């Protein structure tokens, strides 16, 4: 449209410029010229010119109006668009505000959970700047080392290494720094001194280098876990494993030793028993062989007794029975035992006994049987490890305790072995090259027994200069006058030689015919009438049929009706009949069980007349005293 209007205007200008008149002439004007000449063609041209001009102006006006409407429509459309944009912008702003608030809440919740996780974590978590200045740490981190945040932050990095780290861990920081520089990660265990107790805490520590999105180093994250208890438990397990392996090795050595220790006396027993069958032996030679037999039998019985005591020790079955004991008499027994051992060994050893208690103060409450065993073990060692010289046994009152010592001038003990000799199966020399025999359990038993008596046993020794073993027990004196007054005269009489029991009749019960023959033989020297039974049922029947029995000697372990069951049945028939139980194993709890079953006493196999006859005599006298 604009191009059409512009062309019309150009045509009008062309006509105007082509007319032959002077617009500003002085005498005639264009119109007067044309009117005067009556040139109609000029008027037509003028009309056409004016009409064209009007038409052009109209077109321009129409074009302007149309363009204005179009522009108004565009403006209205733009206004609507702007309003829509404003509305959308307002809605977007509202949504952005809602989202921003939600993100703020989520961030706050995330920070709260993050803080809660850090504060509740058992591991110590710390974040250091690249210069190792602490930026953040949770409460567990400070509790691991016992410092507050301010106290820890006030300590420089170098001072921490010198003051907090274990002396063997001072290279930890250098190693960590080098590893982080190379790989960005370091893991190791360190020991840090705790502030309050001064003990070292074992920490498993991991250090990780952190970077931002641009790869720039922003700090080091360190996570530390307290593994002190774990390491202690692990060390205990290692020690337990080592002890178990050592115990297994020692037990293997013990089994080898015990095989040797048992077979050695058995070899002599079997050998000399066969030599006794030689009819050409003179009485003196036979007596010599019998002496060897008795000596090796005693040794074999002692080995068996030690093994039983070891079993009781491992099962915590050693019980102490406190009764009045004459310490000086016990020392005399020890002296007699030690001198007998010296005589058997053929060594030139002087024995000295030093009694530190007066006769009126030497009666105390203790366990005589176990004390004798302790002295026997110590005396055996003194004689065994002393080639020549002197053995000295002493006693003394030390405050509220009795102290005893067994001193020798033997080979002595290395300082490194002083503690180990008290362990089970331990000897200073182990293996097949050891110079001395023994099971390696005597000192273990002795120390345990003394500790059960609330005492203590120790040794002072130096290699090549002899040894001196000390032990203490509580000193609990007894009023000797009241003790003697309570004993009847009959109990103080002592039987010497074979007694005369021609007027006595006893029942011997055992399911082993060899035992019956042996007991019948030794009892025949007393003149007593012996009736034998080989079962509990038979014993009950005989006790029911024979009314004048004076005593029963019965084995506890028999097939069918055992000894205790038979005793209970016999008690129903003869409640006043003395009964002695014979058994192979007599523990303290078994003694109580035997007494409760109705037996008056018990004797341990193998039975010897030196033990049997005094026991039988005391029961005969007790029965006569009660009658």
């Amino acid at each position: 449209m604009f191009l059409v209007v512009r062309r019309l205007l150009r045509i009008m200008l062309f006509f105007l410029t082509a007319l032959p008149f002077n617009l500003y002439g002085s005498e005639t004007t264009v119109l007067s010229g044309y009117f005067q000449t009556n040139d109609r063609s000029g008027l037509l041209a003028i009309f056409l010119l004016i009409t064209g001009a009007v038409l052009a102006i109209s077109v321009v006006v129409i074009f302007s109006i149309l363009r204005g409407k179009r522009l108004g429509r565009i403006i209205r459309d733009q206004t609507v668009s702007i309003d829509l944009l404003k509305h959308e912008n307002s809605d977007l702003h509202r949504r952005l505000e809602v989202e921003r608030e939600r993100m703020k809440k989520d961030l706050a919740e995330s920070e709260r959970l993050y803080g809660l996780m850090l504060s509740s974590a058992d591991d110590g978590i710390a974040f250091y700047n690249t210069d190792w200045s602490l930026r953040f740490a949770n409460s567990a981190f400070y509790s691991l080392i016992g410092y507050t945040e301010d106290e820890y932050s006030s300590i420089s990095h170098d001072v921490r290494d010198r003051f907090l780290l274990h002396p063997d861990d001072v290279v930890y920081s250098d190693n960590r720094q080098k590893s982080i520089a190379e790989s960005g990660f370091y893991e190791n265990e360190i020991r840090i001194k705790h502030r309050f107790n001064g003990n070292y805490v074992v920490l498993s520590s991991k250090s990780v280098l952190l970077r931002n999105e641009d790869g720039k180093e922003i700090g080091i994250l360190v996570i530390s876990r307290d593994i002190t208890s774990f390491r202690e438990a692990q060390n205990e397990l290692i020690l337990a494993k080592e002890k178990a392996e050592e115990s297994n090795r020692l037990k293997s050595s013990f089994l080898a030793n015990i095989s040797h220790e048992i077979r050695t006396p058995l070899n002599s027993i079997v050998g000399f028993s066969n030599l006794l069958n030689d009819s050409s032996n003179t009485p003196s030679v036979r007596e010599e062989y019998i002496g060897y037999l008795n000596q090796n039998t005693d040794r074999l019985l002692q080995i068996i007794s030690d093994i039983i005591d070891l079993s009781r020790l491992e099962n915590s079955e050693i019980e102490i029975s406190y009764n009045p004991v004459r310490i000086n008499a016990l020392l005399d027994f020890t002296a007699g035992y030690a001198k007998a051992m010296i005589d058997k060994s053929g060594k030139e050893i002087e024995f000295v006994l030093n009694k530190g208690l007066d006769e009126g103060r030497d009666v105390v409450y203790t366990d005589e049987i176990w004390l004798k065993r302790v002295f026997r073990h110590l005396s055996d060692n003194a004689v065994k490890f002393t080639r020549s010289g002197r053995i000295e046994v002493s006693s003394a009152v030390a405050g509220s305790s009795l102290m005893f010592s067994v001193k020798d001038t033997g080979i002595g003990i290395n300082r490194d072995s002083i503690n180990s000799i008290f362990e089970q199966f331990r000897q200073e020399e182990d293996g097949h090259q050891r110079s001395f025999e023994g099971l390696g359990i005597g000192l273990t038993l002795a120390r345990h027994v003394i500790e059960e008596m609330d005492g203590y046993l120790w040794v002072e020794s130096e290699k090549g200069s002899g040894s001196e073993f000390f032990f203490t027990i509580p000193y609990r004196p007894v009023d000797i006058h009241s003790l003697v007054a309570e004993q009847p005269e009959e109990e103080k009489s002592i039987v010497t030689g074979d007694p005369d029991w021609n007027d006595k009749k006893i029942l011997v019960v055992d399911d082993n015919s060899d035992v019956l023959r042996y007991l019948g033989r030794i009892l025949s020297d007393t003149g007593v009438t012996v009736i034998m039974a080989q079962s509990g049922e038979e014993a009950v029947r005989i006790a029911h049929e024979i009314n004048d029995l004076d005593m029963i000697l019965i084995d506890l372990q028999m097939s069918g009706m055992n000894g205790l069951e038979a005793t209970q049945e016999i008690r129903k028939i003869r409640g006043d009949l003395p009964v002695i139980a014979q058994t192979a194993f007599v523990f303290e709890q078994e003694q109580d069980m035997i007494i409760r079953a109705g037996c008056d006493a018990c004797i341990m196999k193998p039975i010897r007349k030196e033990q049997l006859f005094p026991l039988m005599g005391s029961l005969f006298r007790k029965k006569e005293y009660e009658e």
Side-chain angles (χ1 to χ4, degrees):
M1 177 65 70
F2 178 75
L3 292 176
V4 173
V5 173
R6 192 167 63 176
R7 285 180 180 177
L8 291 174
L9 290 175
R10 284 180 180 177
I11 293 172
M12 290 174 63
L13 290 174
F14 172 78
F15 281 109
L16 289 175
T17 57
L19 290 177
F21 63 90
N22 187 0
L23 185 60
Y24 302 99
S26 57
E27 294 184 359
T28 59
T29 64
V30 177
L31 292 177
S32 62
Y34 274 101
F35 282 116
Q36 288 176 1
T37 60
N38 295 319
D39 191 352
R40 295 183 180 271
S41 60
L43 292 174
L44 178 60
I46 292 172
F47 173 77
L48 291 174
L49 178 62
I50 294 171
T51 302
V54 171
L55 181 61
I57 292 171
S58 300
V59 170
V60 171
V61 171
I62 294 171
F63 174 75
S64 298
I65 293 171
L66 293 175
R67 188 174 185 184
K69 289 181 178 181
R70 182 169 176 266
L71 289 175
R73 187 166 57 251
I74 293 173
I75 291 172
R76 287 195 300 271
D77 293 341
Q78 291 294 332
T79 302
V80 172
S81 298
I82 291 172
D83 291 339
L84 288 175
L85 289 175
K86 286 183 178 181
H87 178 73
E88 291 176 356
N89 183 54
S90 175
D91 185 61
L92 179 61
H93 179 73
R94 182 181 57 80
R95 289 200 304 268
L96 287 175
E97 285 295 324
V98 172
E99 185 67 16
R100 188 171 67 86
E101 290 297 323
R102 186 187 65 78
M103 292 177 65
K104 286 175 61 178
K105 290 181 180 179
D106 291 344
L107 180 61
E109 180 66 15
S110 177
E111 290 180 350
R112 188 185 70 83
L113 291 176
Y114 175 73
L116 183 62
M117 291 170 59
L118 288 179
S119 62
S120 61
D122 293 332
D123 295 342
I125 302 174
F127 185 78
Y128 292 88
N129 295 314
T130 53
D131 61 352
W132 289 103
S133 59
L134 183 64
R135 183 186 298 183
F136 167 81
N138 65 347
S139 57
F141 174 82
Y142 297 109
S143 65
L144 288 177
I145 56 178
Y147 286 84
T148 64
E149 182 178 355
D150 294 337
E151 291 170 342
Y152 183 80
S153 300
S154 64
I155 305 174
S156 65
H157 177 58
D158 295 336
V159 174
R160 290 178 206 156
D161 292 346
R162 295 195 308 269
F163 184 70
L164 297 181
L165 291 179
H166 190 277
D168 296 338
D169 296 338
V170 292
V171 296
Y172 168 79
S173 295
D174 293 337
N175 293 338
R176 179 177 62 177
Q177 192 76 16
K178 180 179 179 181
S179 179
I180 289 178
E182 294 175 352
S183 63
F185 179 80
Y186 184 69
E187 181 177 7
N188 204 349
E189 292 183 9
I190 56 173
R191 288 162 291 181
I192 293 183
K193 183 185 291 185
H194 197 277
R195 178 191 177 191
F196 295 117
N197 53 34
N199 296 328
Y200 283 98
V201 181
V202 183
L203 301 179
S204 174
S205 180
K206 297 180 181 179
S207 302
V208 182
L209 179 64
L210 301 182
R211 302 175 184 271
N212 60 14
E213 295 83 354
D214 300 329
K216 182 180 179 182
E217 298 177 357
I218 59 175
I220 300 97
L221 177 66
V222 179
I223 301 176
S224 303
R225 174 171 293 181
D226 186 355
I227 60 171
T228 306
S229 300
F230 172 76
R231 280 287 171 257
E232 290 176 351
Q234 187 180 51
N235 292 334
E236 290 176 359
L237 287 175
I238 293 174
L239 291 176
K241 178 176 177 292
E242 293 175 351
K243 287 184 178 180
E245 292 174 348
E246 179 68 7
S247 177
N248 186 54
R249 186 190 70 80
L250 291 175
K251 284 186 177 181
S252 299
S253 176
F254 169 73
L255 291 176
N257 290 345
I258 198 174
S259 176
H260 171 76
E261 293 295 325
I262 290 178
R263 290 176 182 273
T264 299
L266 275 178
N267 182 67
S268 298
I269 292 172
V270 173
F272 286 112
S273 296
N274 291 330
L275 290 176
L276 284 175
N277 292 326
D278 189 352
S279 58
S280 63
N281 291 331
T282 63
S284 61
V285 172
R286 292 175 64 86
E287 184 177 351
E288 180 184 356
Y289 291 168
I290 292 173
Y292 291 143
L293 284 172
N294 290 332
Q295 178 179 336
N296 284 278
T297 300
D298 290 340
R299 181 180 175 186
L300 183 59
L301 290 174
Q302 191 58 63
I303 292 171
I304 295 173
S305 178
D306 288 344
I307 295 172
I308 294 173
D309 288 344
L310 176 63
S311 175
R312 299 168 69 182
L313 172 63
E314 290 183 338
N315 295 322
S316 301
E317 293 179 347
I318 290 181
E319 296 182 5
I320 306 300
S321 300
Y322 291 97
N323 296 292
V325 177
R326 291 183 180 273
I327 296 299
N328 289 339
L330 189 146
L331 292 175
D332 289 335
F333 168 83
T334 302
Y337 176 82
K339 289 177 181 178
M341 293 294 296
I342 293 172
D343 293 340
K344 290 179 182 178
S345 68
K347 299 177 180 180
E348 295 182 0
I349 300 175
E350 177 189 4
F351 183 86
V352 178
L353 178 62
N354 299 316
K355 298 179 181 178
L357 285 81
D358 298 333
E359 291 296 330
R361 302 175 56 207
D362 70 324
V363 181
V364 299
Y365 284 107
T366 189
D367 192 312
E368 182 177 10
I369 295 176
W370 282 114
L371 269 186
K372 284 183 177 180
R373 293 185 184 180
V374 171
F375 274 113
R376 178 179 63 79
H377 287 303
L378 297 180
S379 300
D380 285 344
N381 284 345
V383 175
K384 182 193 304 183
F385 297 108
T386 302
R387 295 187 175 92
S388 63
R390 177 188 179 100
I391 295 176
E392 186 174 351
V393 176
S394 304
S395 65
V397 177
S400 60
S401 300
L402 279 176
M403 186 170 70
F404 302 92
S405 67
V406 178
K407 184 178 182 181
D408 64 65
T409 57
I411 62 173
I413 307 169
N414 285 317
R415 292 185 180 275
D416 296 339
S417 303
I418 283 182
N419 292 325
S420 63
I421 61 173
F422 291 101
E423 299 176 6
Q424 290 184 15
F425 318 129
R426 280 280 197 173
Q427 293 179 325
E428 189 173 11
E429 294 180 357
D430 287 331
H432 297 291
Q433 303 300 322
R434 60 195 181 101
S435 305
F436 301 94
E437 297 179 342
L439 298 177
I441 59 177
L443 291 177
T444 304
L445 291 170
R447 170 172 275 188
H448 187 83
V449 167
I450 293 302
E451 289 177 350
E452 288 291 320
M453 292 181 175
D454 297 327
Y456 183 66
L457 188 151
W458 72 99
V459 62
E460 295 178 359
S461 181
E462 188 173 340
K463 195 66 175 179
S465 301
S467 305
E468 186 170 9
F469 286 84
F470 300 87
F471 70 90
T472 61
I473 60 172
Y475 180 48
R476 298 166 180 158
V478 180
D479 186 356
I480 185 64
H481 300 291
S482 61
L483 180 65
V484 173
E486 292 174 356
Q487 297 178 342
E489 288 296 325
E490 290 79 5
E491 292 295 324
K492 290 186 284 184
S493 62
I494 300 176
V495 178
T496 58
D498 294 333
D500 182 8
W501 291 330
N502 286 306
D503 59 338
K504 304 296 183 183
K505 183 182 295 185
I506 68 171
L507 173 62
V508 180
V509 187
D510 201 303
D511 58 355
N512 189 302
S513 57
D514 291 337
V515 174
L516 289 178
R517 280 192 290 270
Y518 168 72
L519 292 175
R521 176 63 188 84
I522 64 174
L523 288 170
S524 63
D525 295 334
T526 67
V528 67
T529 301
V530 179
I531 302 172
M532 297 184 180
Q534 288 189 295
S535 67
E537 293 85 355
E538 186 179 0
V540 174
R541 179 180 58 78
I542 293 174
H544 189 273
E545 294 174 354
I546 302 176
N547 297 324
D548 58 345
L549 288 174
D550 295 292
M551 183 178 294
I552 295 178
L553 179 61
I554 187 169
D555 184 31
L556 293 182
Q557 293 183 341
M558 295 185 294
S559 58
M561 181 181 290
N562 62 38
L564 292 179
E565 293 171 345
T567 299
Q568 292 171 348
E569 293 298 322
I570 291 172
R571 284 298 184 202
K572 298 176 183 179
I573 304 170
R574 291 281 305 277
D576 61 339
L577 186 61
V579 178
I580 298 177
Q582 52 173 322
T583 182
F585 304 100
V586 180
F587 296 164
E588 284 80 0
Q589 60 268 31
E590 289 182 341
Q591 291 180 5
D592 296 337
M593 179 182 64
I594 291 169
I595 299 302
R596 287 196 302 269
C599 297
D600 296 278
C602 58
I603 187 169
M604 190 172 181
K605 292 181 179 181
I607 298 173
R608 295 183 176 181
K609 66 178 184 179
E610 293 84 1
Q611 300 169 332
L612 178 60
F613 288 175
L615 180 59
M616 292 176 61
S618 65
L619 291 178
F620 282 142
R621 291 191 299 273
K622 180 180 178 182
K623 185 173 181 296
E624 293 171 357
Y625 178 79
E626 292 176 350
E627 292 177 350

